[in-house]
Amino acid sequence: MITDLQGEDDFSEEDDSEVTHFELKVDKGQEMVRIDRFLADKTANFSRSKVQQAIDNEVIKVNGLPVKSNYKVKPGDLISYWLAKTPRPTDVVPEPIPLDILYEDDHLLVVNKPAGMVVHPAHGNWTGTLVNGLAYYFNQLPELPGNSGRPGLVHRIDKDTSGLLVVAKSERAMTHLAEQFFVHSIERTYLALAWGEPAEDQGTVDVPIGRSAKDRKVMDAFPEGTYGKRAVTHWQVLKRLRYVSLLSCQLETGRTHQIRIHMKYAGHPLFNDATYGGDKIRKGTQFSKYKTFVQNCFKMLPRQALHAKSLGFVHPITGEKMYFETPLPQDMADVIRKWEEYVNQMP
């Protein structure tokens, strides 16, 4: 059974901002046992499955480094971990939130999420989420083990990323869709407006991604390969606009903030991505007219310029190949048009 949600995730939607840090030094006389068993025995309200999930999310470290669930603790090991200060409620409050549903049958639906909508309830966003809307319109959506409070979800996208999500309406559909995400057979293409113009017309970023050592609320690229999880993004230039470029990005894997991190690593952070440095002028002139133009674009598009354009998968029940597309949202389309007009006026 696949238990992890696959895909991007905005940490503001999670409990990470409301956690307590713990450190535990293993006694000299401790026998060597698996860390998941050790912590489950030592920590109240921290079951073995929760320990394993925390290890998978790299919340638990031994001597400053992430480990696997089968790691055997040794005398003198320093174990650090984080626990939520209060348990996350798992009861979802149904709310009559309008949903842009592109497709629906007895087993699944495909929804076009607007920018600014959080996908599921979590600290700071218990209401007004996509899941609250789903709970209102659909009864008894299934849940993946370990993801209670997130009915129907098999993947997610950032709060400020717009675009397509597939939602399961039956347990069988959820299991099959989760397996497709796990083996990376789902086709996902994003449109991104990025700073600068890549030297090539297309390329691939194959660089592991993990939590930043400086700030665990954000992610970072680890090209040396000693940390993080494998992440692969294929990109192609669709339009060059002198100081920014419109890119098509295809996900081979689905790590947290993957496109945002990979494009920053490649030297082309996404336009107005405040978390990863795209909310500053990264390319262009020093003329005040240009600075004013960019600031106006920031106001028109007050988020990272990223849209989940297409989604392809095999129907979990019929075996039919399904494919969906959605056009650019108005804010991204307007900014791209303004850049085109600006470039055309340049000598």
Side-chain angles (χ1 to χ4, degrees):
M1 173 64 70
I2 311 301
T3 58
D4 287 343
L5 288 172
Q6 303 293 316
E8 295 191 348
D9 177 31
D10 192 330
F11 279 108
S12 64
E13 300 174 29
E14 297 299 306
D15 291 338
D16 295 3
S17 59
E18 194 68 22
V19 297
T20 302
H21 179 253
F22 295 87
E23 284 191 347
L24 177 64
K25 191 169 185 178
V26 180
D27 295 337
K28 293 181 179 180
Q30 174 65 47
E31 63 178 0
M32 294 178 63
V33 297
R34 285 173 55 116
I35 189 170
D36 52 358
R37 174 185 166 190
F38 177 80
L39 283 179
D41 292 341
K42 291 284 186 179
T43 310
N45 301 319
F46 206 16
S47 68
R48 192 165 180 175
S49 62
K50 288 183 179 180
V51 173
Q52 292 169 347
Q53 184 177 8
I55 289 174
D56 290 341
N57 291 329
E58 299 180 356
V59 174
I60 296 174
K61 295 183 179 180
V62 178
N63 303 322
L65 297 173
V67 295
K68 301 294 185 182
S69 295
N70 61 0
Y71 174 83
K72 292 187 176 181
V73 299
K74 301 183 295 294
D77 276 348
L78 182 63
I79 303 173
S80 62
Y81 56 98
W82 292 261
L83 288 178
K85 295 178 181 176
T86 56
R88 183 186 69 193
T90 57
D91 293 334
V92 177
V93 179
E95 296 179 78
I97 299 170
L99 301 177
D100 183 8
I101 298 175
L102 275 62
Y103 173 86
E104 181 187 357
D105 61 26
D106 291 339
H107 305 283
L108 59 87
L109 61 95
V110 175
V111 61
N112 184 24
K113 185 189 82 68
M117 176 183 280
V118 176
V119 172
H120 59 75
H123 175 73
N125 295 286
W126 297 118
T127 60
T129 74
L130 175 66
V131 164
N132 292 109
L134 291 171
Y136 181 85
Y137 295 106
F138 305 100
N139 294 323
Q140 297 180 331
L141 291 176
E143 294 180 341
L144 286 172
N147 287 303
S148 44
R150 304 174 185 182
L153 294 187
V154 289
H155 69 130
R156 54 188 180 243
I157 56 178
D158 295 343
K159 170 186 175 182
D160 289 327
T161 297
S162 55
L164 297 175
L165 286 162
V166 59
V167 178
K169 294 176 64 177
S170 67
E171 186 172 348
R172 182 180 175 189
M174 171 160 280
T175 300
H176 281 259
L177 287 169
E179 288 174 351
Q180 290 182 58
F181 275 100
F182 185 74
V183 299
H184 310 310
S185 63
I186 298 284
E187 298 177 17
R188 286 174 289 171
T189 301
Y190 288 68
L191 294 180
L193 188 66
W195 280 106
E197 291 188 286
E200 306 294 332
D201 289 334
Q202 61 186 16
T204 296
V205 182
D206 186 348
V207 176
I209 289 175
R211 293 180 188 268
S212 170
K214 297 180 181 179
D215 182 356
R216 65 181 302 274
K217 292 183 181 180
V218 300
M219 308 298 283
D220 205 351
F222 295 88
E224 66 281 358
T226 57
Y227 183 67
K229 296 181 179 180
R230 184 171 184 259
V232 181
T233 303
H234 307 287
W235 58 267
Q236 180 179 5
V237 178
L238 299 180
K239 190 173 295 186
R240 296 178 180 272
L241 297 169
R242 187 71 70 95
Y243 302 130
V244 296
S245 297
L246 179 63
L247 308 177
S248 172
C249 299
Q250 185 174 1
L251 293 178
E252 184 172 321
T253 58
R255 306 305 180 196
T256 301
H257 298 176
Q258 179 172 317
I259 293 173
R260 299 164 67 184
I261 288 294
H262 273 173
M263 296 320 300
K264 176 187 176 183
Y265 172 79
H268 303 285
L270 300 194
F271 188 80
N272 210 12
D273 188 344
T275 302
Y276 297 109
D279 60 339
K280 301 176 180 61
I281 296 177
R282 304 296 297 261
K283 299 289 182 180
T285 71
Q286 296 299 316
F287 297 130
S288 59
K289 181 180 178 180
Y290 173 73
K291 293 180 180 178
T292 300
F293 164 76
V294 174
Q295 291 299 326
N296 287 337
C297 287
F298 283 159
K299 292 177 182 178
M300 293 173 61
L301 183 66
R303 64 180 181 96
Q304 68 263 10
L306 186 61
H307 175 67
K309 176 189 177 183
S310 68
L311 182 66
F313 54 89
V314 174
H315 194 286
I317 308 302
T318 68
E320 178 186 359
K321 179 65 177 178
M322 311 290 288
Y323 182 79
F324 302 91
E325 280 194 1
T326 184
L328 275 172
Q330 198 64 49
D331 56 358
M332 278 188 69
D334 287 345
V335 165
I336 291 170
R337 186 177 65 254
K338 284 190 72 70
W339 272 99
E340 290 174 330
E341 294 172 353
Y342 184 86
V343 170
N344 290 335
Q345 294 172 1
M346 297 179 67

